[in-house]
């Protein structure tokens, strides 16, 4: 009977007609041949992760034995020959160190002399050994017989004369029996024990191809830094002269390396580069070097020590720099006191894990970095420590104005907080008052000691970028000779240190516009958080520090918060270095309030001035006319003296440029008469008479 299916279709027409449709059933699928199914199964089994892992493990442990044999053979060869000394001589010559090469050559000659002497001793040693055995045996037999005689006398039995000798013979027979029993298994197990020893050597040195090693070793996770790894990383750095020199060295480059020392959460090693390779060629390949060392870029630091043609590598343990450091001593020790003159502020830890402490004595300070990287916290931590010295006076200008410095209200004698242009004006006047205080101190007799006055301005870039002008047309911001904030900062930098009037500034994202060159170079301590470019790093720290390896632009924004690169003589820096990297302690705002309360308790009570009142308004042109008196013309330097006498606060800091600017603007320019600059009374009087009310100018007195 057919397997076809019959379907009946009934038409809907008026005259229905029934039709039959025969639909054949689909043909059954052909069975897959056995050899194809077997091949798929084999392929699945071969490519399975378990199979690959097992095969790699078998290959790895087999190759460990071969690698261990190679290492053992090399060590044996080095121990029996002068190959080691030859390698070190070639390495020293390649590095250009001929004194070291001569020293290794002398050591090699000494080794050869001793080896020759040992070989000469082997010629006569059999005869000497035979004589020694004969003499020793005779003496031993004689001693045993003498002992037997003593025993025979004691026991009155002549047979005891040979008892000790026979006991010795029986003991020797026992030893021979033991050796006969053990010898067979030892011969059988000896090769296996030798293979096990070679395997242990190969496993310790990871002497297998990279494809056979476990994933964590192949990926470099936790891989220790060894001389071979450092040399290989340098060889593969892409510097042709370095690669060639390492290839030509008999010791494969090991002679370039100093001892690898544990340094905090990493290791440190000095590398003496061969002739023809510059340190800058290694420095500018930091990322590639880090990757060759199986580290991230931020985990490798390259600096230049004192030794010529040498780079110092500090390599962090994998992931160690992502771990936080401990709390600040200011938080953990509520009895801690500060000493501005002799003490050091506990700021954090260097990369070695050692405490990093900064001296702030008579040092202007600048901290910069990108936004939200911990600049305010780092600056505030220093200020809180200094505040624990009751002799130090603080003036604080916070141009962010979000309360980061609120704990200094009641601690600082002047406290300006806010981001507006009016706050910039207030902070500028605060700096100008600091200049006046500095000038007052400079007039004191030599040797007079003054307590420290620290003027602290956070977000100083707001002041430099302020577009407002005063009544005389002078900008509060900017970096010109007429810019008020800039000039006050410059004056403090020039002479403030000598009388303990210091300027501390925090600024972000430095440029020539928001951090003028003269201001940033006036700071004795310059510190930088993460920055965007190398040019910004040079602005923040100076060319010398960056050329010496300082690289805040290579810090990771967001991940390296609070990590500072510091260039200062106030912090301990390794010999030959111009900067140090410090991970600062973080002090929260709540903890800062507690520390500030301790500082307030040390003081009798501080009245904080939060608004600086402006003085009376004066008319410079009218005051110049008054200073001229009835004389038709007066020398400019005499006019400046008379103005200072008239109103010291308004005109005591004026220079010839200030006087000339006012006169030029009024159309009464000074001129030369008999070779000296003078001011004409008629010109000043005419300019004053012609000036309308809208054109008047004034200055705070």
């Amino acid at each position: 009977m057919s397997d076809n299916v019959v379907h009946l279709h009934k038409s809907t027409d008026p005259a229905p007609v029934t039709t039959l449709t025969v639909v054949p059933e689909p043909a059954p699928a052909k069975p897959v041949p056995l050899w194809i199914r077997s091949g798929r199964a084999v392929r699945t089994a071969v490519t399975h992760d378990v199979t690959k892992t097992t095969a790699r493990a078998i290959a790895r442990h087999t190759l460990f034995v071969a690698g261990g044999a190679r290492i053992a053979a090399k060590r044996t060869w080095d121990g029996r020959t002068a190959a080691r000394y030859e390698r070190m001589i070639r390495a020293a010559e390649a590095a250009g160190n001929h004194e070291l090469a001569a020293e290794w050559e002398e050591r090699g000659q000494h080794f050869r002399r001793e080896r020759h002497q040992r070989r000469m001793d082997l010629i006569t040693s059999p005869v000497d050994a035979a004589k020694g055995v004969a003499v020793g045996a005779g003496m031993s037999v004689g001693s045993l017989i003498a002992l037997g005689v003593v025993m025979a006398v004691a026991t009155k039995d002549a047979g005891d004369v040979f008892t000790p000798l026979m006991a010795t013979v029986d003991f020797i027979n026992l030893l021979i029996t033991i050796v006969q029993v053990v010898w067979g298994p030892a011969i059988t197990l000896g090769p296996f024990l030798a293979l096990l020893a070679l395997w242990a050597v190969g496993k310790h040195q990871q002497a297998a191809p990279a494809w056979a090693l476990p994933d964590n070793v192949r990926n470099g996770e936790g891989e220790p830094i060894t001389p071979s790894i450092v040399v290989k990383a340098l060889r593969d750095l892409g510097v042709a002269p370095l690669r060639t020199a390492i290839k030509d060295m008999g010791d494969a480059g090991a002679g370039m390396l100093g001892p690898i020392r544990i340094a905090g959460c990493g290791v440190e090693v000095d590398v003496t580069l061969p002739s023809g390779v510059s340190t800058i060629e290694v420095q500018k390949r930091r990322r590639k070097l880090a990757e060759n060392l199986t580290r991230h870029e931020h985990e490798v630091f390259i600096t230049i020590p004192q030794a010529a043609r040498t780079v110092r590598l500090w390599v962090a343990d994998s992931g160690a720099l992502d771990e936080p450091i401990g709390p600040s001593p200011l938080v953990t020790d509520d009895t801690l006191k500060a000493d501005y003159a002799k003490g050091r502020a506990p700021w954090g830890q260097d990369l070695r894990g050692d405490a990093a402490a900064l001296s702030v004595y008579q040092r202007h300070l600048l901290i910069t970095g990108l936004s939200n990287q911990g600049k305010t916290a780092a600056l505030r931590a220093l200020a809180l420590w200094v505040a624990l010295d009751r002799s130090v006076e603080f003036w604080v200008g916070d141009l962010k104005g979000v309360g980061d410095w609120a704990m200094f209200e009641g601690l600082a004698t002047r406290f300006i907080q806010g981001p507006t242009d009016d706050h910039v004006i207030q902070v500028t006047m605060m700096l100008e008052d600091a200049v006046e205080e500095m000038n007052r101190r400079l007039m004191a007799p030599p040797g007079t000691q003054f307590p420290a006055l620290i003027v602290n301005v956070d977000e100083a870039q707001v002041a430099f970028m302020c577009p407002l002008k005063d009544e005389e047309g002078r900008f509060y911001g900017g970096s010109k000779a007429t810019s008020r904030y800039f000039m006050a900062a410059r004056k403090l930098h020039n002479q403030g240190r000598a009388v303990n009037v210091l300027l501390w500034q925090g600024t972000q994202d430095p440029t020539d516009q928001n951090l003028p060159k003269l201001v940033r170079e006036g700071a004795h301590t310059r510190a930088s958080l993460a920055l965007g470019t190398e040019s910004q790093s040079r602005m923040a720290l100076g060319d010398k520090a960056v050329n010496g390896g300082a690289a805040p632009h290579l810090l990771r924004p967001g991940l390296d918060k609070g990590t500072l690169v510091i260039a200062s003589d106030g912090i301990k820096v390794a010999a030959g270095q111009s900067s140090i990297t410090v991970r600062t302690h973080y002090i929260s705002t709540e903890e800062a309030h507690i520390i500030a309360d301790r500082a307030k308790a040390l003081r009798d009570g501080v009245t904080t001035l939060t608004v600086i009142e402006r003085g009376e308004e004066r008319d410079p042109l009218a005051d110049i006319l008054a200073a001229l008196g009835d004389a038709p013309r007066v020398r400019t330097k005499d006019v400046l003296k008379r103005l200072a006498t008239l109103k010291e606060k308004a005109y005591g800091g004026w220079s010839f440029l200030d006087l000339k600017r006012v006169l030029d603007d009024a159309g009464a320019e000074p001129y030369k008469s008999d070779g000296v600059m003078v001011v004409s009374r008629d010109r000043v009087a005419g300019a004053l008479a012609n000036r309308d009310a809208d054109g008047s100018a004034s200055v705070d007195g």
Side-chain angles (χ1 to χ4, degrees), residues 215-225 229 293-295 299 316-319:
D215 290 338
N216 65 322
V217 177
R218 286 186 293 133
N219 294 336
E221 182 180 347
E223 184 177 6
I225 299 300
I229 289 176
L293 292 168
T294 64
R295 294 294 190 272
E299 294 176 326
D317 297 336
S318 196

Side-chain angles (χ1 to χ4, degrees), residues 3 60 130 217-218 333 360 387-388 417 476 505 525 621 693:
D3 292 333
R60 177 170 65 252
V217 177
R218 286 186 293 133
D333 185 2
V360 299
L388 294 175
Q417 180 179 242
Y476 287 97
Q505 296 182 99
T525 296
L621 195 59

Side-chain angles (χ1 to χ4, degrees), residues 435 480-492:
V435 173
K480 296 182 179 180
T482 56
S483 301
R484 292 180 60 176
Y485 183 92
F486 169 76
M487 288 306 298
R490 285 292 300 134
K491 290 174 182 177
L492 291 176

Side-chain angles (χ1 to χ4, degrees), residues 57-77:
I58 295 172
R60 177 170 65 252
H61 291 288
T62 303
L63 292 168
F64 279 163
V65 176
R70 185 180 69 254
I71 294 170
K74 186 174 184 300
R75 290 175 179 174
T76 304
W77 177 259

Side-chain angles (χ1 to χ4, degrees), residues 246-515:
I246 292 175
K247 184 178 179 181
D248 293 341
M249 292 179 185
D251 62 346
M256 298 191 307
L257 307 184
I260 296 180
R261 305 175 295 273
I262 295 177
C265 58
V267 296
E268 186 178 75
V269 59
D270 286 353
V271 181
T272 302
L273 300 176
S275 179
V277 181
S278 170
T279 55
I280 192 65
E281 294 183 87
V282 177
Q283 277 187 298
K284 66 184 182 182
R285 290 173 172 83
R286 177 185 175 191
R287 174 175 293 182
K288 189 170 184 179
L289 178 62
E291 292 171 350
N292 291 348
L293 292 168
T294 64
R295 294 294 190 272
H296 296 291
E297 184 178 11
H298 71 278
E299 294 176 326
V300 174
F301 288 81
I302 306 172
T303 53
I304 309 299
Q306 281 183 318
R309 214 171 61 242
T310 302
V311 293
R312 178 168 293 162
L313 307 181
W314 185 86
V315 185
D317 297 336
S318 196
L321 293 183
D322 296 327
E323 298 294 329
I325 65 173
S328 169
L330 293 175
V331 176
T332 58
D333 185 2
D334 57 5
T335 63
L336 186 67
K337 297 292 191 298
D339 186 338
Y340 160 76
K342 299 179 181 179
R344 290 178 177 266
W347 213 4
Q349 294 179 359
D350 62 16
L351 295 179
R352 293 171 170 268
D354 299 331
L358 178 73
S359 171
V360 299
Y361 177 64
Q362 292 189 343
R363 289 178 176 89
H364 299 297
L365 174 70
L366 172 66
I367 299 180
T368 187
L370 297 178
S371 177
N372 195 31
Q373 298 304 309
K375 168 180 52 62
T376 296
L379 183 59
R380 188 176 64 189
L382 284 181
L384 287 170
W385 177 81
V386 181
L388 294 175
D389 183 339
R390 60 179 299 172
S391 67
V392 178
E393 181 181 1
F394 271 99
W395 294 0
V396 175
D398 175 15
L399 292 176
K400 184 188 294 182
V402 295
D404 289 338
W405 294 86
M407 68 290 302
F408 276 81
E409 189 165 0
L411 182 59
T413 51
R414 298 195 183 192
F415 183 72
I416 310 299
Q417 180 179 242
T420 67
D421 290 337
D422 190 58
H423 292 103
V424 171
I425 295 173
Q426 294 283 312
V427 169
T428 302
M429 296 170 63
M430 181 177 73
L431 256 68
E432 291 173 339
D433 288 348
V435 173
E436 288 190 16
E437 172 63 17
M438 175 190 73
N439 291 333
R440 183 188 68 80
R441 295 183 178 190
L442 289 171
M443 298 300 293
T448 304
Q449 297 296 318
F450 296 99
L453 169 60
I454 297 178
V455 183
N456 184 76
V457 181
D458 194 13
E459 304 296 342
Q461 77 279 355
V462 177
F464 285 113
M465 298 301 289
C466 179
L468 292 188
K469 295 181 181 180
D470 62 11
E471 294 84 351
E472 297 180 19
R474 292 188 298 168
F475 284 102
Y476 287 97
S479 58
K480 296 182 179 180
T482 56
S483 301
R484 292 180 60 176
Y485 183 92
F486 169 76
M487 288 306 298
R490 285 292 300 134
K491 290 174 182 177
L492 291 176
H493 279 167
N494 287 340
Q495 294 179 298
R497 182 195 65 81
V499 289
N500 279 330
V501 179
L502 305 178
L503 177 59
W504 290 7
Q505 296 182 99
T507 182
Q508 62 174 288
D509 201 10
T511 66
D512 284 328
Q513 288 71 41
N514 64 24
L515 187 59

